[in-house]
């Protein structure tokens, strides 16, 4: 008879230890090691290679016939885009995000809007809470079944009776399985319930969407291995105080991770935003200084983003630099470039920078807009509203070309901008744009273009 087996797991990173230690040697956190039961007495275990049935064989790549994976549309264009065209049959999707960001809302909304039969399993909310939320969302799907249950075996029994086409689990941290004794939410429990769900998904060809909590560092709670196990990892992010939410793929076995979905949280649920550029540029009077618009790309999607800057005389000895939505180190670098290469005296000034709409931008093409916004605020001269920017700024003060410049130009043209400032070295094949393309190679040229004429 097998003995009950226990082992020690770090609750922070999932590392495994044979005995208790005070500090996890893998993530250096203190007091995170907890003993968990990994195998109950009497449970079956693997008996060695000879006892396994031999019904698999290795084949040559040429002998495999490729069939296009079948996808189930989710009636939500933004989610379909991020997934790469819909839910692949038998795939497991993990959706992570901060508490209150709208994970349950998004998935319930999709469950209610889809034409397919969906089993929505909640271990977090009661039937009444879900009903109240569903009433708010003003959608109803006759085929959507709600189940409040946390035991996986029970969920599988119900799933066998009802045969849903999609299963939603809210959330993986609340589930537990009979085969493991650890408490729900612990590393071994999460790992085991996920692998049971993956097995179910693969065997029945049913896509399963899991909601996962994230830790305060922003990682999905539970072992990193969870992210390796599932097919798709989605991250739902955004500032809770702003109404916009961004859905990104961190991993996608069936599509690109460059795609991005944008939603707006309204009182009747999440609205899909099809034309994000319009909402990211705030409406304002023409003569405000310190704002510049950048033609950026988020994934494959062009986005016109407004950069706002405020430059004022430093009150205290050391000037302050503060950023929202942009890398502060990069701002400091750009300010140093302005100081050194273009002779602007910003050393005694406070500089504040903000990306409108609560977005976080990593695209280097925003550099030129950042520089221009800072200069505009510093010189108290506004930048005309029909100009936008798309170029990277290098350490020598040179304006560098960025990727897919034509896609950015097209977006600017579509939104009615009159001029776009790009690098002299950008390769633009098409000639007849309905927008004037100004090419520059140094920061000084930008400054004179904007402020001297
Ligand atoms: P929720 O979806 O429960 O977040 P999560 O599951 O990620 O923890 O809640 C999202 C928040 O959205 C909640 O604070 C209330 C708000 N909300 C709306 O603004 N409009 C709505 O229609 C709904 C259902 C929620
Ligand atoms: Mg929730």
């Amino acid at each position: 008879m097998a003995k009950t087996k226990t082992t020690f797991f770090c609750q922070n990173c999932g590392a495994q230890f044979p005995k208790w230690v005070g500090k996890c040697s893998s993530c250096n956190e203190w007091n995170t090691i907890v003993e968990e039961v990994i195998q109950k007495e009497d449970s079956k275990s693997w008996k060695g290679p000879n006892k396994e049935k031999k019904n698999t064989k290795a084949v040559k790549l040429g002998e495999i016939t490729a069939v296009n994976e079948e996808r189930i549309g989710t009636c939500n264009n933004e989610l379909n885009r991020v997934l790469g065209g819909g839910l692949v049959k038998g795939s497991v999707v993990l959706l992570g995000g901060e508490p209150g960001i709208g994970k349950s809302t998004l998935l319930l909304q999709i469950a209610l809007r889809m034409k397919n039969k969906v089993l929505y399993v909640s271990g977090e909310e009661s039937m009444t809470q879900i009903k109240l939320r569903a009433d708010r969302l003003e959608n109803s799907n006759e085929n959507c079944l709600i189940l409040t249950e946390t035991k996986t075996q029970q969920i599988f029994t119900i799933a066998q009776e009802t045969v849903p086409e999609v299963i939603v689990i809210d959330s993986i941290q609340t589930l537990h399985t009979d085969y493991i004794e650890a408490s729900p939410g612990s590393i071994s429990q999460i790992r085991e319930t996920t692998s049971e769900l993956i097995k179910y998904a693969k065997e029945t060809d049913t896509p399963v969407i899991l909601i996962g909590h994230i830790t305060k560092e922003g990682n999905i709670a539970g072992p990193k291995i969870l992210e390796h196990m599932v097919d798709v990892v989605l991250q739902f992010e955004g500032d809770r105080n702003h109404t916009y939410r961004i859905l990104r793929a961190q991993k996608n076995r069936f599509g690109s991770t460059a795609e991005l979905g944008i939603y707006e949280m309204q009182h009747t649920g999440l609205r899909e935003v099809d034309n994000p550029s319009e909402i990211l540029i705030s409406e304002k009077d023409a003569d405000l200084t310190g704002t510049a618009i950048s033609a950026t790309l988020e994934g494959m999607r062009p986005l016109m983003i407004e950069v706002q800057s405020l430059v004022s005389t430093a009150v205290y000895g050391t000037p302050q630099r503060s950023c929202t939505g942009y890398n502060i180190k990069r701002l400091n670098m750009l300010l140093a470039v302005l100081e050194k290469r273009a002779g602007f005296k910003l050393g005694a000034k406070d500089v504040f920078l903000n990306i409108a709409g609560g977005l976080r931008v990593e695209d280097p093409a925003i550099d030129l807009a950042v520089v221009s916004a800072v200069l505009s605020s510093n010189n108290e001269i506004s930048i005309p509203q029909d100009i936008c920017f798309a170029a990277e700024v290098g350490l020598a003060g040179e304006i560098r070309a960025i990727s897919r410049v034509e896609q950015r130009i097209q977006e600017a043209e579509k939104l009615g901008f009159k001029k776009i400032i790009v690098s002299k070295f950008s390769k633009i094949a098409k000639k007849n744009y309905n927008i004037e393309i100004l090419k520059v190679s140094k920061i000084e040229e930008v400054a004179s273009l904007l402020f001297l004429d």
Side-chain angles (χ1 to χ4, degrees):
M1 203 163 72
K3 259 185 74 187
T4 305
K5 250 195 187 164
T6 64
T7 191
F8 295 84
F9 286 101
C10 167
Q11 301 294 308
N12 186 48
C13 69
Q16 204 173 335
F17 296 88
K19 63 181 178 37
W20 190 85
V21 281
K23 182 183 176 187
C24 171
S25 56
S26 133
C27 67
N28 290 333
E29 285 291 318
W30 287 91
N31 265 337
T32 53
I33 315 294
V34 172
E35 182 175 17
E36 292 182 6
V37 179
I38 52 165
Q39 197 178 65
K40 260 195 192 178
E41 229 172 299
D42 283 343
S43 73
K44 288 191 194 94
S45 63
W46 193 50
K47 298 283 189 313
N50 300 333
K51 311 247 165 64
E52 292 278 295
K53 264 197 252 158
K54 287 192 186 109
N55 53 2
T56 51
K57 68 177 200 306
V59 291
K60 288 183 187 154
L61 200 57
E63 291 167 15
I64 306 170
T65 42
V67 273
N68 260 353
E69 65 260 348
E70 245 181 282
R71 291 185 187 256
I72 302 178
T74 59
C75 294
N76 190 304
N77 291 334
E78 300 292 302
L79 180 66
N80 283 346
R81 186 206 321 270
V82 177
L83 289 172
L87 286 166
V88 174
K89 287 210 168 160
S91 67
V92 178
V93 178
L94 177 65
L95 173 70
E98 282 186 32
I101 201 83
K103 304 179 292 295
S104 311
T105 309
L106 177 69
L107 291 185
L108 184 62
Q109 191 168 341
I110 284 158
L112 292 177
R113 207 173 282 174
M114 275 173 83
K115 300 284 170 290
N116 307 58
K117 189 166 183 180
V118 184
L119 179 63
Y120 183 95
V121 184
S122 180
E124 304 211 324
E125 288 161 15
S126 66
M127 295 266 186
T128 2
Q129 275 173 306
I130 298 173
K131 172 84 178 123
L132 286 176
R133 190 196 298 261
D135 288 344
R136 256 178 108 172
L137 299 174
E138 293 170 356
N139 281 332
S140 65
N141 176 356
E142 292 293 300
N143 290 324
C144 179
L145 300 170
I146 306 289
L147 172 67
T148 48
E149 178 60 60
T150 54
K151 210 184 244 175
T152 48
Q153 275 69 33
Q154 199 64 33
I155 295 172
F156 294 138
T157 314
I158 305 262
Q160 263 152 16
E161 281 165 18
T162 55
V163 201
E165 287 168 85
V166 178
I167 298 185
V168 175
I169 307 277
D170 186 3
S171 63
I172 187 70
Q173 277 86 0
T174 57
L175 294 193
H176 66 99
T177 169
D178 282 346
Y179 295 107
I180 278 196
E181 210 135 77
S183 58
S186 63
I187 306 274
S188 45
Q189 203 53 273
I190 292 177
R191 193 158 55 184
E192 187 60 26
T193 47
T194 311
S195 68
E196 284 182 14
L197 286 162
I198 290 175
K199 204 161 155 226
Y200 175 85
K202 304 292 171 209
E203 275 170 10
T204 59
D205 252 357
T206 318
V208 175
I209 311 181
L210 310 172
I211 290 183
H213 295 170
I214 64 170
T215 59
K216 62 177 187 298
E217 286 84 28
N219 303 318
I220 291 175
K224 198 76 187 158
I225 197 169
L226 187 62
E227 289 173 49
H228 291 295
M229 286 160 83
V230 299
D231 299 303
V232 181
V233 179
L234 302 181
Q235 192 78 27
F236 203 34
E237 50 193 56
D239 201 330
R240 249 191 303 164
N241 304 322
H242 283 88
T243 54
Y244 300 113
R245 302 281 187 273
I246 293 177
L247 186 68
R248 280 178 211 280
Q250 273 183 356
K251 158 181 173 180
N252 192 348
R253 286 190 181 147
F254 314 107
S256 129
T257 50
E259 293 296 351
L260 179 100
I262 302 183
Y263 294 91
E264 184 184 5
M265 181 62 98
Q266 294 181 332
H267 64 279
T268 53
L270 290 154
R271 181 182 74 89
E272 297 168 51
V273 177
D274 334 302
N275 186 359
S277 295
E278 279 173 14
I279 53 156
L280 293 172
I281 298 172
S282 56
E283 308 210 343
K284 57 180 182 304
D285 288 335
D287 55 350
L288 286 185
T289 61
T291 66
I293 291 163
S294 176
T296 64
L297 282 181
E298 270 291 339
M300 305 301 273
R301 217 165 169 194
L303 276 186
M304 304 302 282
I305 289 179
E306 185 178 298
V307 182
Q308 303 176 328
S309 156
L310 176 70
V311 178
S312 67
T313 312
V315 192
Y316 305 106
T318 18
Q320 294 185 60
R321 269 84 215 261
S322 132
C323 270
T324 319
Y326 188 69
N327 186 345
I328 184 102
K329 288 194 181 133
R330 188 127 190 118
L331 174 69
N332 280 331
M333 185 209 93
L334 292 176
L335 294 178
V337 170
L338 277 180
E339 180 111 31
K340 171 109 179 164
R341 309 278 173 196
F344 295 100
K345 294 278 168 276
L346 291 163
K349 301 280 175 86
D350 288 341
V351 179
F352 305 95
L353 196 84
N354 177 35
I355 307 292
L359 277 190
R360 194 171 170 82
V361 186
E362 305 282 351
D363 186 3
I366 202 169
D367 286 357
L368 190 57
V370 170
V371 165
S372 308
V374 169
L375 290 180
S376 161
S377 177
N378 187 51
N379 298 8
E380 285 294 327
I381 303 174
S382 63
I383 297 172
Q385 276 184 312
D386 54 5
I387 295 189
C388 61
F389 304 84
E392 187 181 342
V393 177
L395 282 179
E398 83 278 22
I399 310 292
R400 305 169 62 156
I402 29 92
S403 62
R404 296 205 289 275
V405 69
E406 292 185 75
Q407 207 181 339
R408 303 170 199 259
I409 296 175
Q410 273 163 20
E411 177 76 4
E413 184 185 21
K414 201 169 89 195
L415 292 176
F417 284 88
K418 294 280 181 310
K419 292 177 188 168
I420 181 164
I421 302 187
V422 297
S423 163
K424 198 169 102 186
F425 309 104
S426 304
K427 291 189 180 58
I428 303 165
K430 202 178 142 210
K431 290 281 174 300
N432 48 343
Y433 283 106
N434 206 358
I435 177 172
E436 192 182 342
I437 301 169
L438 303 171
K439 295 187 170 182
V440 290
S441 62
K442 285 204 221 82
I443 282 195
E444 300 91 301
E445 290 172 39
V446 185
S448 58
L449 250 178
L450 291 176
F451 307 122
L452 296 181
D453 50 53

